[in-house]
């Protein structure tokens, strides 16, 4: 299919559009859509600049390549489900403005980029967002805010590492049974920092974790010493000494308002030159309503490699109106390997609103 460009007027109607190639460009201000489903390979909104394209009708839009909101242009996505099944890693490109004036749209990311991750662009204009591909890792491009729900049905969603990518959900954040949400560190300055998740309701039947997302091996304020087998890192608890007496790390951070990353275990500098385990990350949860954990909520340190020390546990700081469920919460240190020392535990704080 060749590319098509609409240079003026609305693109509306209740017929069917199915384009299996090329790029469909809406190069005009006006309405877009109908009550039937439309399918595109690539869809570009507003290549002319300074245009507002407003969705109309209830029919869904599927884009198997890339949906681009061009510079200086606006897509008002209201009322539609936008299914982005692209496999290139960038199914949605926002260089202009995404808007939802009615708070009724859904962006469903369903593609699998076999060559790497799929990026979910940073935006404060999403309403509902759904991630659904059990073989894919969806990587946030920055902080994300939804006026509705965020659902990780299947697959892995991860925040940015070494940069702020907080998640704010006005409705329900659901990490479903087939879903994993990985919270990576935002900074390694001082005691380090994690990310904050804010939601009205948070339900975890899958896995929400910051395991190994703290300081790397041999790093951090409580790092285990390296030597003839590495020692364990400390955080809320001291790190274990190695079998050859190399000292573990010392406790640091706040016991009453924890926010620190876990530290890395010491390396074995004699035999295997093996790196220590990584510390757990810092997961800060603020839930105004009910937090239900029927799966796993964790910020554990990781095990050291041969003869090295384990990383220390990180931080789980939970504020919620109600805490429910039968799942597990943990911020444990990683085990030492053979002669290496084990990592100390992290910190868990649970408080009410």
């Amino acid at each position: 299919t060749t590319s098509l460009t609409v240079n003026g007027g609305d693109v509306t109607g209740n017929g069917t559009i199915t384009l299996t190639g090329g790029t469909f460009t809406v190069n005009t201000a006006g309405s877009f859509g109908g009550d039937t489903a439309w399918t595109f390979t690539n869809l570009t909104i507003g290549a002319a600049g300074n245009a507002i394209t407003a969705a109309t009708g209830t029919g869904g839009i599927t884009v198997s390549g890339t949906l681009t909101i061009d510079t200086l242009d606006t897509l008002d996505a209201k009322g539609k489900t936008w299914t982005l099944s692209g496999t290139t890693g960038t199914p949605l490109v926002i260089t202009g403005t995404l808007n939802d004036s009615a708070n009724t749209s859904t962006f469903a990311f369903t593609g699998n980029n076999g060559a790497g991750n799929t990026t979910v662009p940073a935006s404060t204009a999403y309403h509902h967002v759904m991630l659904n591909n059990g073989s894919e890792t969806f990587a946030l491009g920055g902080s994300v805010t939804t006026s509705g729900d965020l659902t990780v049905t299947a697959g892995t969603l991860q925040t940015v590492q070494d940069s702020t990518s907080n998640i704010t959900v006005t409705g329900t954040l659901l990490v479903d049974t087939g879903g994993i949400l990985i919270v990576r560190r935002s900074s390694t300055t001082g005691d380090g920092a994690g990310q904050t998740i804010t939601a009205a309701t948070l339900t975890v039947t899958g896995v929400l974790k910051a395991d190994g997302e703290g300081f790397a091996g041999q790093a951090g304020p409580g790092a285990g010493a390296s030597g003839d087998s590495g020692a364990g890192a400390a955080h809320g608890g001291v790190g274990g000494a190695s079998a050859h007496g190399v000292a573990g790390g010392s406790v640091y951070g706040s016991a009453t308002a924890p926010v620190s990353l876990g530290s890395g275990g010491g390396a074995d500098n004699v035999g295997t030159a093996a790196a220590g385990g990584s510390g757990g990350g810092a997961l800060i949860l603020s839930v105004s309503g009910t937090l239900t954990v029927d799966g796993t909520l964790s910020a554990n340190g990781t095990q050291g490699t041969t003869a090295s020390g384990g990383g220390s546990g990180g931080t789980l700081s939970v504020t919620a109106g109600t805490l429910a469920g039968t799942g597990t919460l943990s911020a444990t240190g990683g085990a030492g390997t053979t002669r290496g020392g084990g990592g100390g535990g992290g910190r868990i704080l649970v408080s009410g609103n």
Side-chain angles (χ1 to χ4, degrees):
T1 301
T2 58
S3 297
L4 299 173
T5 299
V6 178
N7 285 315
D10 299 330
V11 182
T12 58
N14 294 326
T16 300
I17 296 178
T18 303
L19 299 180
T20 58
T23 298
F24 190 94
T25 301
V26 182
N27 196 8
T28 179
S31 298
F32 178 83
D35 291 330
T36 52
W38 292 357
T39 300
F40 303 91
T41 299
N42 298 296
L43 174 62
T44 296
I45 301 297
N50 299 301
I52 299 176
T53 301
T56 186
T58 59
I61 304 293
T62 296
V63 181
S64 61
T66 300
L67 168 60
T68 301
I69 305 171
D70 206 13
T71 305
L72 301 179
D73 295 288
T74 299
L75 171 62
D76 185 348
K78 62 182 180 178
K80 288 191 175 296
T81 294
W82 303 78
T83 300
L84 307 177
S85 59
T87 60
T88 63
T90 55
L92 175 60
V93 175
I94 306 173
T95 56
T97 302
L98 172 63
N99 183 34
D100 182 348
S101 61
N103 289 334
T104 52
S105 65
T106 297
F107 279 83
F109 294 82
T110 64
N112 179 18
N113 174 19
N117 300 335
T118 291
T119 299
V120 178
S123 178
T124 60
Y126 294 116
H127 181 53
H128 296 317
V129 175
M130 181 182 68
L131 308 170
N132 190 10
N133 189 310
S135 300
E136 186 61 320
T137 295
F138 300 95
L140 292 183
S143 294
V144 165
T145 298
T146 72
S147 59
D149 303 331
L150 171 60
T151 303
V152 186
T153 303
T156 299
L157 172 64
Q158 67 181 24
T159 67
V160 181
Q161 185 179 60
D162 295 330
S163 180
T164 300
S165 57
N166 296 323
I167 298 173
T168 303
V169 179
T170 304
T172 296
L173 170 56
L174 170 62
V175 184
D176 214 345
T177 304
I180 300 171
L181 173 52
I182 298 175
V183 177
R184 312 188 78 186
R185 68 188 186 222
S186 65
S187 173
T188 55
T189 301
D191 290 351
Q195 311 281 358
T196 298
I197 296 177
T198 304
T201 302
L202 173 56
T203 300
V204 181
T205 56
V207 177
L208 172 51
K209 66 179 181 177
D211 297 352
E213 297 296 340
F215 288 99
Q218 299 88 254
S226 300
D228 187 357
S229 59
H235 181 196
V238 297
S242 75
H244 292 128
V246 178
S250 300
V251 171
Y252 64 95
S254 172
T256 57
V259 293
S260 304
L261 301 176
S263 292
D268 174 34
N269 289 342
V270 176
T272 61
S278 297
L283 177 51
I284 315 301
L285 300 180
S286 178
V287 182
S288 58
T290 300
L291 166 60
T292 302
V293 181
D294 284 322
T296 300
L297 179 60
S298 63
N300 301 326
T302 62
Q303 181 174 334
T305 51
T306 305
S308 65
S312 58
T315 293
L316 290 181
S317 177
V318 178
T319 303
T322 302
L323 179 62
T326 58
T328 61
L329 281 72
S330 63
T332 60
T337 306
T338 58
R339 301 177 301 278
R347 290 192 170 98
I348 298 177
L349 173 68
V350 179
S351 60
N353 290 321

